[in-house]
Amino acid sequence: MSNQDQDNLTDHEYDGIREYDNKLPIWWLATFIGTVIFAFIYWLHYEFAGGPDLQAELKIEMEQLQEKTGGHGHDHGTAVAVSEEELLKLMTSADTVSNGKLAFTGKCASCHGDQLQGLIGPNLVDEYWIHGKGSLSEIHTVVSQGVPEKGMPAWGAMLKEDEIKSIVAYIGSQKGSNPANPKAPQGEKVVNN
Amino acid sequence: MSQVDNNPKNFEEIYYDDDIVKKFILATMVFAGVAFLAGLMAALQLAYWPMNMNMEWLTFGRLRPLHTNAAIFAFAGNAIFAGIYHSTQRLLKARMFSDSLSKIHFWGWQLIIVAAAITLPLGYSQAKEYAELEWPIDIAIAVIWVVFAINFFGTLWKRREKHMYVALWFYIATIITVAVLHIVNSIEIPVSLFKSYPVYAGIQDALVQWWYGHNAVAFFLTTPFLGLMYYYLPKAANRPVYSYRLSIIHFWALVFIYIWAGPHHLLYTALPEWAQTLGMVFSVMLWAPSWGGMINGLLTLKGAWHTLRTDPIIKFFVAALTFYGMATFEGPLLSIKTVSGLAHYTDWIVGHVHGGALGWNGFLTFAMFYYLVPRLWNTKLYSEKLANIHFWIGFLGVMGYYVSMVAAGITQGLMWRAIGADGKLIYPDFVETVTKIIPLYWARAFSGTLFIIGFAVMAYNIYKTIKAAPASQPVAVKVTSNMKVQETSTETHRALEGAATTFSVLTLLAVLVGSVIEIYPTLSLHKYVPKDVQTVPYSQLELAGRDIYIREGCYVCHSQQIRPMAAEVLRYGKPSTVADSMYDRPFQWGSKRTGPDLARVGKKYPDFWHFRHMIDPRATTPNSIMPAYPWLERHKIDFVSLRKKLSVMQNLGVPYTDEEVANADIQAEKDAKKVAAELKAQGAPDNLHDKEIVALIAYLQSMGQKEKKK
């Protein structure tokens, strides 16, 4: 212990523990005062000086998002009309159908069954349809916009358009496949389709 | 040293009660093992879901509360008591106030731990983090804590050392504040022996709970350990404390500021924004006061740094203080709103907490025990080499844990918010963001194993030390009292250190200021609900389902709070409101998303989807890591208690009619039959009408569906 240290020592002694009375480290004090000033300014800015609240910040974020998607809402997916012909043509592309199968297995099979035989959701390869008459463009609309009240998600908000089209093409390609353990028919029988 | 009395006639011979210290040390060692192993098991379940071995008592939702409660109250709690009982007697030159109270404290606390270890796996839980224990145990904790307080303040009262050393200030702050926190947060109305509802609802409950939760970290895991550091570090290093002035400033700053910081756990939630902002700015201001303790510890070693190479005790102290410094820098950082926006609900927070718990609380306890055990048992440590090995294995364990969890948290946080050029989520499937970090879950489990191996080495070392110790008799200590000496200091704080009562009252006031300012306004919750919004209370069956959700601890993995951020709105729907949870007792906002948010999951999937998902999550969500809940298909719904439950809710102000209360069970049975019939129509098995799964599905389908425009 140097002499200087000795000078600095307080006369406190507790169970053999002594205490120096060193000054507060200046960088420590500066940090403390700095954070207090920051806190004060931050508080004033957001609580009194009209700094944006969280809802206002969200509004700006959502507007930026709208611009990206070209004004389409998100809750119900994108409602881009797709022609029956385009989808029929995609059905003939082996690549598209196999991509569709992959996506279907990942996203759709848990409710519609891995053979499309229906499970939680309806059978997709029988002759009965609930929403529309089973045309590819109608299936496309249901996949994109969903049927929220029945628990069918609006996949348009989540998947890329190409992916949705490939899923629709895959569903179309499986028509009449007669899987084992099909779910009982639901909806209207559609003949001649 | 002016007050030393040299007259031999004034010497007294006294005996310190070291037996109680030994008891607390051994209890700490036992429960550390339990807490660490429960943690490892939980970690393994996240890496590999079947690790719950298909037993409801060991599922993650019930195991995680067991782990946190064991780590905080059993491990850290017993360690604190060991250190406080040992150092307080010496700092005050007095035996503990009452040996009987010491014993009641010890055995009472161990009984509470055993009660927790039985009730939590059984699902008796209030589902409020670190306050899960049900009301009879809450009362027991309050009683035993008061016993501890009487024993401690009684010792202060009969002390022979006039001035209180800084360690004691921290002990005082701990004892007073934990009592306030525990009692206020635990005000609940019993429904039955092991079920209660808190008096607070929604945002109130959230605010009070995180005021409690955050300050459990502050006043159970920080202040007492700082006190212990102030006693054992200068003792072990044989060096004077660096700065008395710094002690004063950082102590008062810490106790005053800490109490305000709770709402930083609730950033971007429905909590009124003024409270969120207060929580954030006070957390930022907490940085320097926290570092005050670290600096005072580390700089105490000035001139003794060479011992870092040779003395394992100093190694543990230095690492503990460094981890403390890391955690208390990271804490304010994580409290900044935008940083919280990324980190909240992710494993980054889990990493942060374990940096503190393993590195600071763990290593400080280990340092203290390596110092204490040879001295208490009057022998030498069995092996310094093993202590060094413990240090290095443990150190690697903490670092590995921390790095893997921060990496997992940042990865997942970025994936959640990633939006592509087309304005859509890049990872719309939540489970994709989970499978991505599974390798890091394995890395965490491995690191945790290292930490436990280190602890096992210590346990062996301590066992051998104690076994080789000679049978020792208590040794008398010669002490003098300076209580009658006139106060000579003209400095106010020095005088205050001699006035224990005034000091304690001032500490209480310091913690009450922030508490009252933050909590009081939210007690009138209704003024935060827009006038044109009406929330429908849960139906009887939904309430029964909600209590199953609480019992299973779903909140440990699922939040119910959608934040006002574009990515959250895309993924989950519109941001959560005050009205959404205004009848929620307890609130179930959660703090971690191992699975997706559920605030608006209602009506998103058909009932049958939920049925299949609960029985086997992988049937609907391939790669899910959620445990299966097959017992929900077997257990029967507790219809009988519903009348009592609704009547308690009605008394707490939930607008149920008398008829709804009187017919609670009948109505619930009717509703359950309807849900079961619908499930059957969709393809579910027969006879589900009285099974828990039906009530849970009813609750899940109600989430986010309760707010109606007037």
Side-chain angles (χ1 to χ4, degrees), chain B residues 426-689:
Chain B
I426 297 180
Y427 307 99
D429 281 351
F430 189 92
V431 71
E432 243 184 306
T433 72
V434 178
T435 46
K436 183 89 182 168
I437 57 173
I438 297 241
L440 292 165
Y441 281 159
W442 283 111
R444 181 256 301 271
F446 175 73
S447 308
T449 309
L450 287 183
F451 188 84
I452 294 175
I453 292 172
F455 171 74
V457 170
M458 176 196 189
Y460 174 74
N461 205 353
I462 284 185
Y463 168 76
K464 292 296 266 188
T465 305
I466 294 174
K467 207 172 163 230
S472 60
Q473 292 296 318
V475 184
V477 219
K478 279 187 181 171
V479 290
T480 59
S481 173
N482 62 8
M483 288 303 286
K484 300 260 162 59
V485 177
Q486 193 61 37
E487 178 67 58
T488 51
S489 177
T490 51
E491 285 174 44
T492 328
H493 201 273
R494 187 66 185 154
L496 186 60
E497 288 156 30
T501 313
T502 316
F503 192 100
S504 306
V505 171
L506 284 178
T507 308
L508 176 64
L509 290 177
V511 297
L512 284 184
V513 175
S515 309
V516 171
I517 291 179
E518 284 184 352
I519 295 173
Y520 183 74
T522 54
L523 291 183
S524 39
L525 189 154
H526 286 272
K527 74 174 187 242
Y528 290 104
V529 180
K531 293 242 177 325
D532 60 340
V533 168
Q534 191 180 11
T535 302
V536 184
Y538 295 110
S539 78
Q540 296 86 347
L541 183 65
E542 289 160 5
L543 188 67
R546 191 168 199 274
D547 285 336
I548 295 167
Y549 184 99
I550 287 168
R551 180 190 75 196
E552 295 301 337
C554 305
Y555 69 99
V556 307
C557 288
H558 294 280
S559 58
Q560 292 187 16
Q561 190 67 210
I562 303 167
R563 296 178 293 176
M565 300 171 177
E568 301 245 323
V569 174
L570 288 184
R571 192 182 293 277
Y572 303 119
K574 91 177 172 89
S576 293
T577 64
V578 177
D580 278 331
S581 57
M582 66 182 290
Y583 298 129
D584 285 7
R585 286 186 166 85
F587 82 114
Q588 289 288 277
W589 295 2
S591 65
K592 174 74 175 63
R593 286 177 183 159
T594 303
D597 187 276
L598 299 179
R600 304 208 183 283
V601 78
K603 305 282 185 253
K604 194 172 170 187
Y605 305 102
D607 288 356
F608 189 40
W609 185 95
H610 283 295
F611 176 81
R612 284 174 53 89
H613 181 248
M614 293 308 301
I615 304 303
D616 175 16
R618 278 140 298 276
T620 52
T621 314
N623 298 322
S624 167
I625 63 168
M626 181 167 131
Y629 289 83
W631 51 89
L632 296 179
E633 198 187 342
R634 296 193 302 267
H635 293 340
K636 290 196 171 170
I637 301 171
D638 175 15
F639 287 116
V640 181
S641 69
L642 277 173
R643 252 186 270 184
K644 175 80 183 171
K645 283 179 176 175
L646 259 81
S647 112
V648 169
M649 286 288 191
Q650 192 190 34
N651 286 333
L652 285 168
V654 181
Y656 288 120
T657 63
D658 290 344
E659 201 195 335
E660 282 170 328
V661 176
N663 293 330
D665 48 343
I666 299 164
Q667 186 59 44
E669 282 181 48
K670 262 191 214 161
D671 292 351
K673 282 201 179 102
K674 248 187 261 170
V675 178
E678 176 63 22
L679 273 171
K680 197 187 167 207
Q682 292 173 13
D686 218 349
N687 284 327
L688 290 177
H689 63 277

Side-chain angles (χ1 to χ4, degrees), chain A residues 14-15 20 22 28 107 159, chain B residues 231 235 243 288 424 429 494:
Chain A
Y14 308 92
D15 192 34
Y20 287 125
N22 282 312
W28 178 84
K107 316 278 181 203
L159 302 180
Chain B
Y231 180 80
K235 275 283 185 187
S243 170
K424 295 175 186 177
D429 281 351
R494 187 66 185 154

Side-chain angles (χ1 to χ4, degrees), chain A residues 11-12 14-15 18 20-22 28 42 47 53-54 61 69 74 107 110-111 119-120 148 151 156 159, chain B residues 1 163 165 231 235 240-245 273 277 288 295 422-424 429 494 566 603-604 612 620:
Chain A
D11 62 357
H12 314 163
Y14 308 92
D15 192 34
R18 307 287 313 269
Y20 287 125
D21 196 18
N22 282 312
W28 178 84
Y42 186 95
E47 295 303 314
D53 64 10
L54 296 175
E61 254 190 281
T69 56
H74 282 275
K107 316 278 181 203
S110 59
C111 284
L119 193 65
I120 296 167
L159 302 180
Chain B
M1 305 274 262
H163 294 101
Y165 175 58
Y231 180 80
K235 275 283 185 187
V241 171
Y242 175 69
S243 170
Y244 165 64
R245 252 181 265 193
E273 270 190 69
T277 305
I295 297 167
D422 56 358
K424 295 175 186 177
D429 281 351
R494 187 66 185 154
K603 305 282 185 253
K604 194 172 170 187
R612 284 174 53 89
T620 52

